[in-house]
Amino acid sequence: MNIIVRFICILVLSITTGASSQDIKIDSFSSQDVNLDSISQHYIDLGYLDCEVSKLQDVVHIDKGIRYLLEKIVISPSDTILIDENLFFVQDEVNRILRNLIESKVTDGYLYQSYTPKEIIKHDGKVSVVLAGNQGPRPKLSKIRFEGLRLTDES
């Protein structure tokens, strides 16, 4: 347990220091517990899309590459969300933007919408996310029925 905690602390330290490449020495008996895919996915979720993680004996080598900025989210066939701020391409941030989009469409009456990722386009340190969007039909109300008291006393 102590080894895993120490390894996570080293990962957090490497993220905050900004070094693009780093070697982490791990204890030989814990080298079997190191999951390279989860380390790589962690960096990809933080915007390092070109991250490469490799292990030679008891050393894990992490090459983060550049951290991409989110430029826009394109929803084909018709919508584009331009990102004005310099936001890093962080998976949680993309999910937040999509949640806000879905909530606004639900407010407009599109209850059956769906979005499917099509591709991620990388260029000049920026990323454009392309989604296939389907708003679905807008349901129509045919009747509204109120139940309860018909008259109320306002006093």
Side-chain angles (χ1 to χ4, degrees), residues 71-84 97 101 105 115 128-131:
E71 181 178 29
K72 62 185 169 183
I73 299 176
V74 178
I75 302 169
S76 62
S78 61
D79 291 335
T80 299
I81 301 171
L82 295 174
I83 310 300
D84 295 332
I97 293 169
L101 171 70
K105 295 285 187 179
Y115 300 96
S128 297
V129 178
V130 180
L131 303 171

Side-chain angles (χ1 to χ4, degrees), residues 58-153:
D58 62 345
V59 175
V60 174
H61 177 74
I62 302 170
D63 184 8
K64 295 188 293 190
I66 65 169
R67 191 170 189 192
Y68 286 88
L69 292 171
L70 181 60
E71 181 178 29
K72 62 185 169 183
I73 299 176
V74 178
I75 302 169
S76 62
S78 61
D79 291 335
T80 299
I81 301 171
L82 295 174
I83 310 300
D84 295 332
E85 323 162 355
N86 284 333
L87 291 177
F88 286 112
F89 179 75
V90 178
Q91 189 63 42
D92 290 341
E93 192 63 32
V94 174
N95 290 342
R96 182 189 64 79
I97 293 169
L98 290 177
R99 260 193 318 274
N100 290 343
L101 171 70
I102 289 170
E103 288 173 7
S104 70
K105 295 285 187 179
V106 166
T107 303
D108 292 340
Y110 295 101
L111 304 178
Y112 306 108
Q113 58 189 314
S114 65
Y115 300 96
T116 308
K118 281 177 57 177
E119 84 181 293
I120 294 177
I121 302 169
K122 300 185 286 187
H123 57 91
D124 299 330
K126 295 184 180 180
V127 171
S128 297
V129 178
V130 180
L131 303 171
N134 182 4
Q135 292 182 347
R138 288 175 84 179
K140 296 180 181 178
L141 296 176
S142 59
K143 187 184 224 183
I144 298 176
R145 184 175 152 201
F146 294 98
E147 291 185 13
L149 299 174
R150 293 187 185 267
L151 297 174
T152 59
D153 185 16

